[in-house]
Amino acid sequence: MRKKRLLLLFLNLFILLSLTSCWNSKDIQNMAYVTAIGFDYADNQYTTYVQVLNFSNVAKGEANAMGKNVPNWIGKGTGTTVTESFNSIYATSQLRLFWGHVKAIVLSERFLKDIDQVAETYDMVNRYREIRYNILLYGTTESMIDIFSQKSNLNITPIESLLAQPSQIYSQRSYILPVYGYKLIASLNEPSGLGILPALSIDHNNWFEDKKGTSMFRINGAYFYNEKKYSGYMTAKQLEGFRWMQHKLERSPINIPDDKDPAAAIVLQKPKTKIHHYEKDGKVNFDIKISLLAYVDELIRNETKENIEKQAGEVIANQIRASFEKGVEIKADVLELGSRLYRMDNTLWEKQHSKNTFFLTKESLRNVEVKVTLIHSGKYKLKVE
């Protein structure tokens, strides 16, 4: 009996000693949680910025009332390499930095123009085990300090702003689709080499805290790459036609007609796109057919249902053509026609690509046919003339 007890005791001791323990555990209150990273490059020096989460405007309680102005914490480091710039931040961070909650990476315009630099930096960041794959990527001409010190409505946490949660805005106003870093790199590694990067800016004109003006984030355009080289920048206005080619478009408005005296404003959704290509005189041409659903948001003058649908189709077709032609000027495949040709008819793409790496011209887009179906006119009946 005694031997059995000793055996049981030794067995229990062995099990206890063999259990793993948290030798390297860290107290969560003693870490700084990075939510966004910024990169700049000038004078042969990398400058890295980090935005650190302040829990004062995340966890709500009696002492933390909604709307309280809580400062953002921003770290800055410099070095001849990206790694050295990060280590410069570590040297003064006071707390251990945790990277598992990074939501976005912002690149300065001069940084993003060197696509090899972008790819190498993203590769370095993404190699670190704590950082996730689904990180949003932006370009900007704004100061990184201004970007990372930007507040949202009601002074809520920055992780609920457009920087980290663009899908909330996109669901109400679909213009330029948010881009995850891994998708940009994947697109650039395709033979067609097309890349699109949203441009983040700060708007100072549209919001006020009482009588005091306050700034807010805005997607004001996009940067384009072709053949893994920087092509140029296009404004949101120039990219009006780009939105209709996005199958994820949720809601986007237009005026009809699109001038200073519109008769109505309608909202369009659920685009379905068909692209046909054909070769003529050694060149490739494209026809685009798009169907969309729509509803009336504002009716200024009496219009028939048929006239609204017709005018909406004309406005959309003109926007698509204008965006395409502006893209051709800077050698940017805005409508991704080259990429689609690569997938639909690789032989023809290879033939055109061997002649000219950017083979699109303004004449490449022949016909744009848009069918708009008005599904309802809101709570009011549609007026007729």
Side-chain angles (χ1 to χ4, degrees), residues 191-192 338 341-343 345-357 359:
S192 54
L341 180 64
Y342 171 75
R343 290 172 173 79
D345 192 340
N346 188 258
T347 302
L348 181 56
W349 180 88
E350 290 280 1
K351 180 180 177 181
Q352 295 293 324
H353 190 262
S354 62
K355 298 177 184 177
N356 188 346
T357 55
F359 53 82

Side-chain angles (χ1 to χ4, degrees), residues 127-146:
R127 281 180 185 272
Y128 191 57
R129 61 186 181 277
E130 289 181 358
I131 294 182
R132 303 177 184 183
Y133 289 105
N134 56 337
I135 297 176
L136 293 160
L137 211 56
Y138 300 94
T140 190
T141 57
E142 305 282 354
S143 159
M144 289 292 177
I145 297 295
D146 291 342

Side-chain angles (χ1 to χ4, degrees), residues 189-258:
N189 287 333
E190 291 279 357
S192 54
L194 172 70
I196 303 172
L197 184 63
L200 187 68
S201 67
I202 298 175
D203 183 282
H204 299 273
N205 303 315
N206 293 304
W207 282 86
F208 297 84
E209 186 177 352
D210 291 331
K211 295 183 179 180
K212 179 185 176 183
T214 184
S215 55
M216 290 291 163
F217 283 128
R218 185 187 188 99
I219 301 296
N220 65 329
Y223 300 95
F224 287 86
Y225 298 95
N226 181 61
E227 289 290 315
K228 297 185 179 180
K229 294 180 181 178
Y230 177 72
S231 293
Y233 166 78
M234 290 177 63
T235 66
K237 178 67 176 176
Q238 294 168 338
L239 289 170
E240 284 183 325
F242 168 68
R243 54 182 160 163
W244 309 119
M245 304 297 290
Q246 301 176 33
H247 70 277
K248 291 185 178 180
L249 179 139
E250 296 183 42
R251 182 184 187 276
S252 203
I254 61 169
N255 293 335
I256 54 169
D258 189 17

Side-chain angles (χ1 to χ4, degrees), residues 145-376:
I145 297 295
D146 291 342
I147 289 288
F148 290 151
S149 61
Q150 178 61 44
K151 303 291 194 302
S152 186
N153 303 67
L154 309 178
N155 290 316
I156 60 176
T157 171
I159 62 175
E160 296 296 331
S161 69
L162 186 149
L163 176 66
Q165 300 287 344
S167 58
Q168 295 188 50
I169 306 300
Y170 192 80
S171 64
Q172 289 189 314
R173 183 182 182 271
S174 304
Y175 243 76
I176 298 172
L177 191 68
V179 173
Y180 287 108
Y182 72 89
K183 288 191 175 181
L184 175 66
I185 299 302
S187 297
L188 291 171
N189 287 333
E190 291 279 357
S192 54
L194 172 70
I196 303 172
L197 184 63
L200 187 68
S201 67
I202 298 175
D203 183 282
H204 299 273
N205 303 315
N206 293 304
W207 282 86
F208 297 84
E209 186 177 352
D210 291 331
K211 295 183 179 180
K212 179 185 176 183
T214 184
S215 55
M216 290 291 163
F217 283 128
R218 185 187 188 99
I219 301 296
N220 65 329
Y223 300 95
F224 287 86
Y225 298 95
N226 181 61
E227 289 290 315
K228 297 185 179 180
K229 294 180 181 178
Y230 177 72
S231 293
Y233 166 78
M234 290 177 63
T235 66
K237 178 67 176 176
Q238 294 168 338
L239 289 170
E240 284 183 325
F242 168 68
R243 54 182 160 163
W244 309 119
M245 304 297 290
Q246 301 176 33
H247 70 277
K248 291 185 178 180
L249 179 139
E250 296 183 42
R251 182 184 187 276
S252 203
I254 61 169
N255 293 335
I256 54 169
D258 189 17
D259 55 27
K260 294 182 180 180
D261 186 29
I266 66 171
V267 174
L268 298 114
Q269 53 190 190
K270 299 181 179 180
K272 293 183 179 180
T273 307
K274 291 183 179 180
I275 298 177
H276 301 283
H277 65 275
Y278 56 93
E279 190 177 15
K280 184 177 181 181
D281 299 328
K283 296 181 180 181
V284 63
N285 297 310
F286 296 89
D287 291 337
I288 296 177
K289 292 184 178 181
I290 300 180
S291 62
L292 303 101
L293 302 180
Y295 61 86
V296 176
D297 206 39
E298 181 179 1
L299 192 62
I300 302 168
R301 294 192 301 272
N302 292 339
E303 289 286 353
T304 63
K305 176 178 180 291
E306 292 74 18
N307 200 29
I308 290 175
E309 293 175 339
K310 179 183 176 182
Q311 291 185 73
E314 292 172 353
V315 169
I316 293 169
N318 290 336
Q319 289 182 353
I320 290 172
R321 191 173 295 278
S323 292
F324 173 76
E325 292 179 355
K326 183 61 182 179
V328 169
E329 292 178 12
I330 62 171
K331 293 187 176 181
D333 185 6
V334 174
L335 305 184
E336 302 181 71
L337 298 180
S339 297
R340 293 171 188 261
L341 180 64
Y342 171 75
R343 290 172 173 79
M344 294 186 294
D345 192 340
N346 188 258
T347 302
L348 181 56
W349 180 88
E350 290 280 1
K351 180 180 177 181
Q352 295 293 324
H353 190 262
S354 62
K355 298 177 184 177
N356 188 346
T357 55
F358 187 80
F359 53 82
L360 298 174
T361 65
K362 292 183 178 180
E363 291 71 34
S364 297
L365 183 58
R366 299 299 297 271
N367 300 307
V368 181
E369 182 181 322
V370 181
K371 177 177 174 56
V372 175
T373 302
L374 195 65
I375 54 177
H376 68 80

Side-chain angles (χ1 to χ4, degrees), residues 54-70 153-160:
N54 191 331
F55 282 100
S56 298
N57 57 357
V58 178
K60 300 301 177 186
E62 292 181 4
N64 299 317
M66 177 72 77
K68 181 181 178 181
N69 190 0
V70 177
N153 303 67
L154 309 178
N155 290 316
I156 60 176
T157 171
I159 62 175
E160 296 296 331

